[in-house]
Amino acid sequence: MVEAGWSIPSMTILTEARRRNKKQIPSFRKLLKTSKVKLENKLKNKQFKQQSTLKKYRKEQRKLRQAVKDAVSKRPIPLEDPKGKRPGKRIEREEEEEEEALPLDMMDEDDLQLMKDLGQRASFLTRDLSSSEPVHVKKRKREHVIEKYEKIPRALQTAPEKELIHLLPIKDKSGIIPQTREKPVIDSNQDEEDQEEVELEEEIIEDPVRELTLEEHLTERKKKLQEKKMHIAALASAILSDPESNIKKLKELRSMLMEQDPDVAVTVRKLVIVSLMELFKDITPSYKIRPLTEAEKSTKIRKETQKLREFEEGLVSQYKFYLENLEQMVKDWKQRKLKKSNVISLKAYKGLAEVAVKSLCELLVALPHFNFHNNIIVLIVPLMNDVSKLISEMCCEAVKKLFKQDKLGQASLGVIKVISGFVKGRNYEVRPEMLKTFLCLRIKEIEVKKDTEDINKPKKFMTFKEKRKTLSRMQRKWKKAEEKLERELREAEASESTEKKLKLHTETLNIVFVTYFRILKKAQRSPLLPAVLEGLAKFAHLINVEFFDDLLVVLHTLIESGDLSYQESLHCVQTAFHILSGQGDVLNIDPMKFYTHLYKTLFKLHAGATNEGVEIVLQCLDIMLTKRRKQVSQQRALAFIKRLCTLALHVLPNSSIGILAINRILMHTFPKTDLLLDNESQGSGVFLPELDEPEYCNAQNTALWELHALRRHYHPIVQRFAAHLMAGAPSEGSEALKPELSRRSATELFETYSMAAMTFNPPVESSNSKRKDKVIQGDSFLNEDLNELIKRHCNEVGTHLPLDFTKYLQSSLR
């Protein structure tokens, strides 16, 4: 049954429309399955197809109008070639275009045939009917121009065609209502006017700018720079006065990093970098800012809290952008990249990069607790191995400073991890300064840690059973309140526990030792070996006892290989005795080979470049002889004292003072060594100074004659020490040392009297020698008669009595 109000034709049309629009309007279920991007692409394809259809339709209409227009003056050309000269493919292609241009629902086959016939007989519709000339008559050459012009049909001024944009149809009770919208028409006249205006502006010749002299240019630059400085100072002062309210001015100040004025760009950028670095050091809180959770964002808060959150978010974002800018400056300098829009030359990039690295180093040391500290570490560590010595030293000093001031060890652990990975990634081909920074690690000894644990032992609270046995009900109530208060106070202090600190130190040392052992195993001829041995010497007492045997074997192998310098071999000896002086006391190891090697190495030192190695020798002697006095024989002590006195004659004064100071300590430690001050021999045999075995050189049969030579040394402190040892190193009496000399260690005396600054310490006193009387000549005599007599005698000798030796020569020949 057909519903009321619907006719059969309308139902047919509606059914046909639904059938046609079935693919255009997807169902709701299909919409759910189809992505938004796919739907947009479908709509774009549909619109593109509609536009192409309209273009083809307008093209056919244009062809028809052209045919009508040319029918007056030209011979009518049928749209279809009756002779069939055109190829079949072209006919088929045109038929396809006509079918696409005229949809089936708009034109019938009869209408299409009618249009083709009209196109063939267009001349009958447009020619002048009053003329009796045939249609196919030839044109007369003498036809008047005006008559020809009058016969051309006039083109009516028609409105511009409007393109339609098809929208989604609307369906209501009456049926489907198509929706269209006119495409906005661009006014070509307006575009032409705008283009003409632009061309006119380009054609306008500007007045030439007056060239400034050098003085005027410098004055102008100074003026600009002063204005920029005042602007930077105003922004920085506003931010410091109220950071929470003026946090947005950080962005304005940071935007000055992109200064484009070529006169002041470099200077302004450097000033902004330093200013922002100082600002962040001042306004940054003492805690790490974390991002807010969704629950915290949705919770209603007070205005003060909201203001604080905005300040923290703005601070973190600007700090992040600032670090990115510094990183980009360093990268541009390293890659030698110059941006097209930049006004800074490649030469100026080095200065900018140095200031950026300096700022990164300052932030690394000043803000180890704040956000993005690990990112700064990742930037700084590769620069420690940079080709530029200035940047490398700057980064290494910053890392050393961080190690020295890091009490907990969290920041130090992060830096150590990155350095260890970097060294391994470069196959141990890095600067030794990178590993020398490990010596500044603030890791205490085990004994100190135990003492602090005993002192700061955490207080234990009573259990419920203990309270019930010993306390009454009221006492338990008071005790509970007291314990709660103590817990709150402990949390308020926010002090890190000793256990956490020890855990961080242990992890840090593990990474350090892994790096050291890898280099000892794989890169024994690397320039990193001295730094490794020096580090092992410092932290050897913290190495696990299980590794001691293997490590001593490796050190002895390195010494015997002969590939090491004197300084590296001394570090090996120092490391071995550090191991044996700590936890290695329990091991039954005879280090005689290390004593022999040190005894052999002493004569490699002299007053030249190796003079600095005396400091390591003094440290080794203190560990080997003084601290291990019970394991050292008298023969060994005598041999070392004799060789050290001989060495004191070959080195600089500060080294001589240190050596004599260590000899004084040895003479006190081993009292029987005073026999070296006696001329009489104490046993059989002859002293063999060239023998490298301290136990068998017969040192008891010699004397310390070197002290007499040192007694006449030009340095007064060396003289004083030599006289003191010749007297038997007394602690009292006239030959005793002053407290400032006796209470200092040998290493301290070596550093105190160093001649690195090329000055004498103490300064040499000027000699007050008597002046000899000068011979007074000529007019200087007081007696005038005597002066005249001298002048007359000189004149007579010069004029009347010439010197002639010929007569004396003749007489001698006879």
Side-chain angles (χ1 to χ4, degrees):
M1 291 293 293
V2 180
E3 296 181 3
W6 292 84
S7 60
I8 293 175
S10 61
M11 286 293 292
T12 307
I13 294 171
L14 183 59
T15 305
E16 185 68 22
R18 286 179 179 174
R19 185 179 60 78
R20 269 199 318 269
N21 297 331
K22 187 175 181 181
K23 292 184 180 180
Q24 299 175 3
I25 306 173
S27 63
F28 181 72
R29 184 175 297 174
K30 193 172 182 180
L31 280 173
L32 290 176
K33 293 182 179 179
T34 310
S35 64
K36 187 178 179 181
V37 178
K38 195 171 181 181
L39 286 175
E40 290 179 355
N41 292 338
K42 283 186 176 182
L43 290 175
K44 289 179 182 178
N45 293 335
K46 182 181 175 183
Q47 291 176 3
F48 180 76
K49 190 173 181 181
Q50 291 176 352
Q51 290 175 3
S52 62
T53 305
L54 289 172
K55 285 182 180 178
K56 290 176 182 178
Y57 177 73
R58 286 196 296 271
K59 187 176 180 181
E60 294 295 333
Q61 294 295 326
R62 201 180 301 116
K63 286 182 180 179
L64 290 174
R65 287 196 297 272
Q66 187 67 28
V68 172
K69 184 176 180 180
D70 295 341
V72 177
S73 57
K74 296 181 181 179
R75 184 177 179 180
I77 300 174
L79 294 179
E80 292 185 354
D81 194 354
K83 296 181 180 180
K85 292 181 180 181
R86 288 180 297 178
K89 291 184 180 180
R90 186 175 177 185
I91 297 171
E92 290 175 2
R93 186 168 62 251
E94 288 183 358
E95 288 177 358
E96 289 176 1
E97 289 177 359
E98 289 172 358
E99 288 176 3
E100 291 178 357
L102 301 174
L104 296 175
D105 57 343
M106 294 177 63
M107 295 189 69
D108 249 354
E109 292 183 0
D110 299 336
D111 297 336
L112 187 60
Q113 186 63 33
L114 180 62
M115 290 297 294
K116 289 179 181 178
D117 295 341
L118 287 174
Q120 292 176 0
R121 296 191 300 271
S123 59
F124 293 101
L125 299 176
T126 55
R127 70 186 179 92
D128 190 4
L129 298 177
S130 59
S131 63
S132 57
E133 294 179 356
V135 177
H136 302 288
V137 71
K138 292 183 180 180
K139 293 182 180 179
R140 294 179 182 177
K141 295 182 180 180
R142 297 180 181 180
E143 187 178 4
H144 202 270
V145 179
I146 298 176
E147 294 179 357
K148 182 180 179 182
Y149 178 78
E150 289 295 334
K151 290 179 181 179
I152 297 174
R154 272 43 169 182
L156 298 177
Q157 187 175 2
T158 58
E161 298 180 0
K162 296 180 179 179
E163 296 185 12
L164 298 179
I165 300 174
H166 295 273
L167 304 177
L168 292 174
I170 299 173
K171 183 179 179 182
D172 58 359
K173 294 181 180 180
S174 60
I176 297 174
I177 304 173
Q179 297 289 324
T180 57
R181 188 179 67 183
E182 293 182 1
K183 188 175 181 180
V185 181
I186 301 172
D187 192 358
S188 58
N189 296 330
Q190 185 68 26
D191 291 345
E192 292 176 359
E193 291 177 1
D194 294 341
Q195 190 174 359
E196 289 176 0
E197 289 179 2
V198 172
E199 291 175 357
L200 289 174
E201 288 178 359
E202 291 178 354
E203 291 176 0
I204 295 174
I205 301 173
E206 298 181 356
D207 297 332
V209 181
R210 185 176 66 87
E211 294 184 359
L212 300 176
T213 61
L214 182 59
E215 294 180 358
E216 292 175 348
H217 185 73
L218 291 175
T219 306
E220 186 69 21
R221 182 185 179 276
K222 190 176 181 181
K223 184 179 178 182
K224 290 179 183 178
L225 193 57
Q226 188 65 24
E227 292 177 357
K228 296 291 183 181
K229 286 181 180 179
M230 294 301 294
H231 187 47
I232 293 171
L235 290 174
S237 301
I239 295 168
L240 281 177
S241 60
D242 190 2
E244 293 186 2
S245 301
N246 299 323
I247 191 65
K248 292 184 179 179
K249 292 191 176 180
L250 266 178
K251 184 178 181 181
E252 184 179 352
L253 183 59
R254 190 179 58 81
S255 65
M256 296 180 71
L257 286 173
M258 300 296 114
E259 178 64 40
Q260 296 298 322
D261 191 347
D263 293 339
V264 296
V266 179
T267 308
V268 169
R269 293 187 185 189
K270 289 181 180 179
L271 291 173
V272 174
I273 290 171
V274 177
S275 302
L276 282 171
M277 181 261 294
E278 295 294 338
L279 278 174
F280 283 121
K281 286 168 62 176
D282 290 336
I283 67 176
T284 300
S286 59
Y287 54 88
K288 189 174 182 179
I289 299 173
R290 62 173 180 81
L292 299 175
T293 61
E294 294 297 331
E296 290 174 341
K297 291 179 181 179
S298 60
T299 307
K300 290 185 179 180
I301 55 176
R302 295 182 298 175
K303 290 183 179 179
E304 293 81 4
T305 310
Q306 182 64 27
K307 188 177 180 181
L308 179 61
R309 284 185 179 179
E310 291 177 356
F311 164 71
E312 290 178 347
E313 289 178 1
L315 179 64
V316 171
S317 63
Q318 293 304 319
Y319 187 57
K320 177 186 175 185
F321 292 142
Y322 173 65
L323 294 178
E324 288 176 353
N325 291 336
L326 296 183
E327 181 185 8
Q328 192 60 42
M329 288 180 188
V330 177
K331 282 184 178 179
D332 290 343
W333 170 65
K334 294 292 290 181
Q335 298 173 0
R336 302 292 190 271
K337 285 185 178 180
L338 184 62
K339 298 177 181 178
K340 295 180 180 179
S341 61
N342 213 334
V343 295
I344 298 178
S345 62
L346 282 173
K347 292 182 180 179
Y349 259 104
K350 184 178 180 181
L352 272 177
E354 289 176 357
V355 177
V357 172
K358 180 68 175 175
S359 300
L360 287 170
C361 293
E362 290 287 336
L363 294 173
L364 176 75
V365 177
L367 304 176
H369 60 277
F370 197 57
N371 301 51
F372 310 115
H373 189 257
N374 291 333
N375 301 75
I376 300 177
I377 292 173
V378 173
L379 285 175
I380 291 294
V381 168
L383 295 175
M384 294 170 66
N385 193 42
D386 195 76
V387 179
S388 175
K389 188 177 180 181
L390 177 63
I391 289 181
S392 176
E393 290 178 354
M394 198 186 301
C395 296
C396 290
E397 289 299 322
V399 172
K400 289 179 182 178
K401 195 173 180 182
L402 178 66
F403 287 161
K404 289 177 182 178
Q405 73 176 23
D406 187 18
K407 296 180 180 179
L408 179 60
Q410 185 71 43
S412 300
L413 178 60
V415 177
I416 290 295
K417 284 181 179 178
V418 179
I419 291 178
S420 177
F422 183 80
V423 172
K424 184 180 178 183
R426 290 296 183 91
N427 199 17
Y428 311 103
E429 295 180 358
V430 296
R431 286 176 175 264
E433 288 78 9
M434 290 189 70
L435 293 184
K436 286 183 180 179
T437 56
F438 291 177
L439 301 175
C440 298
L441 284 170
R442 195 173 175 180
I443 298 177
K444 299 179 180 179
E445 295 180 358
I446 298 173
E447 289 80 6
V448 177
K449 292 176 184 177
K450 287 183 177 179
D451 293 340
T452 53
E453 286 177 0
D454 295 336
I455 294 170
N456 301 325
K457 195 172 182 179
K459 185 178 178 181
K460 292 183 178 180
F461 296 108
M462 296 176 67
T463 61
F464 180 72
K465 291 182 179 180
E466 292 174 350
K467 290 178 185 177
R468 192 168 185 179
K469 287 180 182 180
T470 57
L471 303 177
S472 64
R473 185 177 181 182
M474 185 59 66
Q475 287 175 340
R476 288 200 301 268
K477 188 176 181 181
W478 280 101
K479 193 72 176 177
K480 185 178 180 181
E482 185 181 351
E483 290 176 357
K484 184 180 179 182
L485 180 61
E486 287 182 3
R487 287 193 185 96
E488 290 177 355
L489 289 174
R490 189 177 297 176
E491 292 176 359
E493 288 176 1
S495 58
E496 297 294 337
S497 64
T498 310
E499 295 179 359
K500 185 176 181 180
K501 191 183 297 185
L502 290 177
K503 185 178 179 181
L504 291 172
H505 286 176
T506 304
E507 190 176 354
T508 303
L509 270 179
N510 286 339
I511 298 173
V512 170
F513 285 139
V514 165
T515 306
Y516 285 165
F517 293 156
R518 281 174 179 167
I519 295 173
L520 283 176
K521 183 179 179 181
K522 298 181 180 179
Q524 292 185 356
R525 297 186 180 182
S526 169
L528 301 177
L529 193 59
V532 171
L533 296 172
E534 193 174 355
L536 285 174
K538 181 173 182 180
F539 302 114
H541 62 284
L542 300 172
I543 301 176
N544 194 346
V545 183
E546 298 175 358
F547 301 112
F548 281 1
D549 290 336
D550 297 334
L551 189 56
L552 288 174
V553 170
V554 170
L555 294 175
H556 181 64
T557 307
L558 286 173
I559 293 173
E560 294 296 328
S561 65
D563 297 330
L564 303 182
S565 64
Y566 78 97
Q567 194 168 7
E568 293 172 354
S569 59
L570 288 175
H571 278 305
C572 284
V573 175
Q574 187 181 12
T575 304
F577 281 96
H578 268 292
I579 292 172
L580 296 175
S581 64
Q583 304 175 47
D585 287 338
V586 298
L587 299 177
N588 189 14
I589 297 175
D590 183 18
M592 185 59 197
K593 48 193 174 185
F594 293 103
Y595 281 102
T596 304
H597 180 72
L598 180 63
Y599 187 77
K600 188 193 307 182
T601 311
L602 286 178
F603 279 162
K604 293 183 179 180
L605 306 176
H606 50 76
T610 62
N611 184 74
E612 296 300 322
V614 176
E615 184 178 5
I616 307 173
V617 170
L618 297 177
Q619 295 173 1
C620 292
L621 290 170
D622 183 49
I623 301 171
M624 296 166 64
L625 300 176
T626 308
K627 293 182 179 180
R628 294 177 58 89
R629 61 176 67 91
K630 294 181 180 180
Q631 288 87 6
V632 178
S633 64
Q634 184 178 349
Q635 293 292 332
R636 198 180 302 173
L638 290 170
F640 270 100
I641 291 174
K642 175 62 180 176
R643 182 155 285 198
L644 286 172
C645 283
T646 308
L647 178 63
L649 297 172
H650 305 158
V651 291
L652 293 180
N654 62 328
S655 300
S656 298
I657 295 169
I659 290 171
L660 294 177
I662 202 72
N663 269 350
R664 174 179 176 270
I665 296 172
L666 291 177
M667 292 176 73
H668 287 169
T669 306
F670 304 95
K672 293 183 179 181
T673 55
D674 59 352
L675 59 88
L676 292 174
L677 302 176
D678 192 0
N679 292 333
E680 296 181 1
S681 59
Q682 298 293 327
S684 61
V686 181
F687 174 60
L688 303 173
E690 72 280 359
L691 189 65
D692 292 333
E693 293 292 338
E695 295 285 347
Y696 309 109
C697 65
N698 297 325
Q700 72 276 3
N701 295 326
T702 185
L704 299 179
W705 58 264
E706 295 90 355
L707 295 177
H708 290 276
L710 292 170
R711 181 81 179 271
R712 296 187 294 273
H713 199 278
Y714 67 89
H715 200 282
I717 306 300
V718 177
Q719 296 177 13
R720 186 75 191 118
F721 264 99
H724 175 70
L725 293 178
M726 286 177 64
S731 57
E732 295 179 355
S734 60
E735 296 297 333
L737 293 177
K738 295 180 181 179
E740 60 266 18
L741 297 177
S742 61
R743 293 179 180 176
R744 291 185 180 181
S745 65
T747 309
E748 291 176 355
L749 290 170
F750 174 82
E751 294 175 355
T752 302
Y753 294 99
S754 175
M755 301 182 68
M758 300 302 291
T759 56
F760 287 101
N761 185 16
V764 180
E765 297 180 0
S766 58
S767 60
N768 296 325
S769 60
K770 295 181 180 180
R771 295 180 180 179
K772 296 181 180 179
D773 295 334
K774 294 182 179 179
V775 179
I776 302 175
Q777 297 178 356
D779 298 335
S780 59
F781 289 105
L782 298 178
N783 193 344
E784 295 180 359
D785 298 335
L786 184 59
N787 287 332
E788 291 178 1
L789 181 63
I790 292 172
K791 285 181 180 179
R792 187 175 60 189
H793 181 72
C794 291
N795 292 332
E796 288 178 358
V797 172
T799 54
H800 302 289
L801 299 174
L803 296 176
D804 188 7
F805 297 99
T806 54
K807 58 182 180 179
Y808 299 104
L809 180 61
Q810 292 175 0
S811 61
S812 63
L813 290 174
R814 289 174 186 175

